[in-house]
Amino acid sequence: MFDNLSLKLDRAFKTLKGTGTITEINVATTVKEIRRALIDADVNYKVAKEVTDTIKTEALGRDVLISVSPGQLLIKITQEELTKLMGGKKEDIKISGDPAVILISGLQGSGKTTFTGKLGAHLKKQGRQVLLVACDIYRPAAIDQLKVLGGQIGVEVYAEPENKNALEIATNAIAYAKKTGKKTVVVDTAGRLAVDDVMMKEIEALKKALNPSETLFVVDSMTGQDAVNTAKTFDERLNFDGVVLTKLDGDTRGGAAISIRHVVNKPIKFISTGEKMEDLDVFHPDRMAQRILG
Ligand code: GDP
């Protein structure tokens, strides 16, 4: 997943190999290399600086036990700090209301529609009665795409292909969900290639009208710092509840996964690691930190 970053971090820790004690000088060298590795991985500079400063202070402040080498200690501290940086503990999505509404937002191509299907499968597995709603009115193919996914996972999809009013479709979908006993409704929305005001106004209106218990922002992790900036812009307008990082199976450098929580102050809730419906994981900061460290 983050092969390059893991390799560079491993190299950084190796500079401490063979040294018996933690000193200001050897820790400074290693920490500098960790910082460079994070910046190379497209981690926001301020975030990389802050976290490595903390790693350094922690390392110098801790007694090295006889059984733990300086290298091992630094790995442990780095893992703890990366975990904290990514939110500390797992955070679940909130599902409440009758029906509970989950709103999916993000730019076009980020993986919104694919994720909507995956979330449908995930919720169905929990025993919920789910309805997926196709509100991506500008990309007609998205409606068919969602229908195909719904067919694959055995979850009903509500669509009005001729209707160009997302708010109306969503409102009708809620009425349909009530009538048919679907307790959880996942609404896929329209994205654009870049943030634009019309799209934002539309999704803001959807959020206001539907009062979702959870609004998720889907973002392509391969876009690195751009992912973080887009998240910030969406959050300012939408005040979303959680982030979904997609395409973590590609050769992403890892920056978005590491900095998004800290910069936007919203938790990552899911990660998507492929195109298939089962390629979805609940996000665990500690497991991700472990993966980053290889
Ligand atoms: P939308 O425009 O945001 O609805 O994006 P789509 O769901 O249509 O996804 C855009 C493309 O990315 C499609 O070809 C998906 O199959 C692909 N995709 C989505 N999620 C992932 C992922 O986690 N990994 C990979 N490799 N591809 C993905």
Side-chain angles (χ1 to χ4, degrees):
M1 193 180 277
F2 305 131
D3 293 352
N4 239 323
L5 175 58
S6 303
L7 199 76
K8 283 183 186 161
L9 287 175
D10 188 46
R11 228 180 273 149
F13 297 125
K14 285 218 170 86
T15 59
L16 274 174
K17 217 175 165 195
T19 58
T21 51
I22 291 264
T23 67
E24 185 109 30
I25 293 170
N26 60 26
V27 167
T29 311
T30 306
V31 161
K32 217 163 126 189
E33 283 193 38
I34 298 174
R35 184 180 304 172
R36 194 172 311 141
L38 292 173
I39 291 167
D40 285 351
D42 219 7
V43 173
N44 175 289
Y45 175 79
K46 249 181 75 197
V47 176
K49 180 162 179 357
E50 269 176 52
V51 73
T52 46
D53 283 349
T54 312
I55 292 171
K56 189 171 164 190
T57 313
E58 283 286 314
L60 292 173
R62 283 195 209 182
D63 286 332
V64 184
L65 302 168
I66 311 273
S67 57
V68 178
S69 70
Q72 281 168 329
L73 179 71
L74 226 56
I75 290 172
K76 186 170 178 292
I77 294 171
T78 304
Q79 183 166 344
E80 287 168 7
E81 293 310 318
L82 285 179
T83 303
K84 269 193 231 161
L85 191 63
M86 291 186 288
K89 56 178 182 17
K90 162 180 93 89
E91 289 199 37
D92 292 322
I93 53 170
K94 288 181 294 298
I95 302 176
S96 64
D98 187 20
V101 177
I102 302 169
L103 189 64
I104 312 298
S105 67
L107 291 181
Q108 189 177 315
S110 60
K112 259 188 322 321
T113 304
T114 309
F115 171 72
T116 302
K118 289 178 179 182
L119 184 61
H122 175 82
L123 295 169
K124 185 186 172 194
K125 231 187 263 168
Q126 296 178 337
R128 299 179 193 276
Q129 296 289 324
V130 184
L131 182 69
L132 304 181
V133 185
C135 275
D136 190 346
I137 47 174
Y138 304 108
R139 194 165 69 91
I143 298 176
D144 296 331
Q145 190 184 340
L146 196 60
K147 280 188 176 162
V148 170
L149 296 178
Q152 271 175 32
I153 60 174
V155 170
E156 192 176 355
V157 174
Y158 184 92
E160 296 181 22
E162 304 305 322
N163 193 343
K164 291 285 171 222
N165 184 332
L167 198 55
E168 219 174 86
I169 300 170
T171 312
N172 293 343
I174 303 293
Y176 180 78
K178 281 188 177 155
K179 204 171 76 189
T180 54
K182 305 284 196 305
K183 299 283 186 209
T184 315
V185 178
V186 186
V187 182
D188 184 22
T189 62
R192 303 289 169 96
L193 290 174
V195 173
D196 91 26
D197 204 46
V198 176
M199 171 189 72
M200 281 298 182
K201 283 209 170 99
E202 183 176 290
I203 190 151
E204 274 172 339
L206 276 171
K207 185 172 181 200
K208 207 165 157 218
L210 302 177
N211 191 24
S213 61
E214 182 82 22
T215 301
L216 292 171
F217 168 70
V218 179
V219 69
D220 178 346
S221 62
M222 307 267 285
T223 60
Q225 300 245 15
D226 271 352
V228 179
N229 295 333
T230 311
K232 244 176 127 173
T233 313
F234 265 76
D235 193 48
E236 277 157 18
R237 295 288 293 260
L238 213 54
N239 187 20
F240 56 69
D241 303 296
V243 177
V244 178
L245 274 183
T246 63
K247 309 188 192 182
L248 273 169
D249 51 312
D251 57 350
T252 163
R253 290 190 284 167
I258 297 168
S259 20
I260 216 161
R261 168 67 198 246
H262 192 68
V263 175
V264 186
N265 199 23
K266 291 288 163 72
I268 300 172
K269 296 203 172 170
F270 289 101
I271 54 172
S272 162
T273 53
E275 296 183 87
K276 291 198 294 294
M277 286 296 93
E278 58 271 27
D279 298 331
L280 182 73
D281 289 304
V282 169
F283 182 74
H284 292 262
D286 53 343
R287 289 186 202 164
M288 183 58 85
Q290 224 164 15
R291 253 162 133 162
I292 289 168
L293 290 175

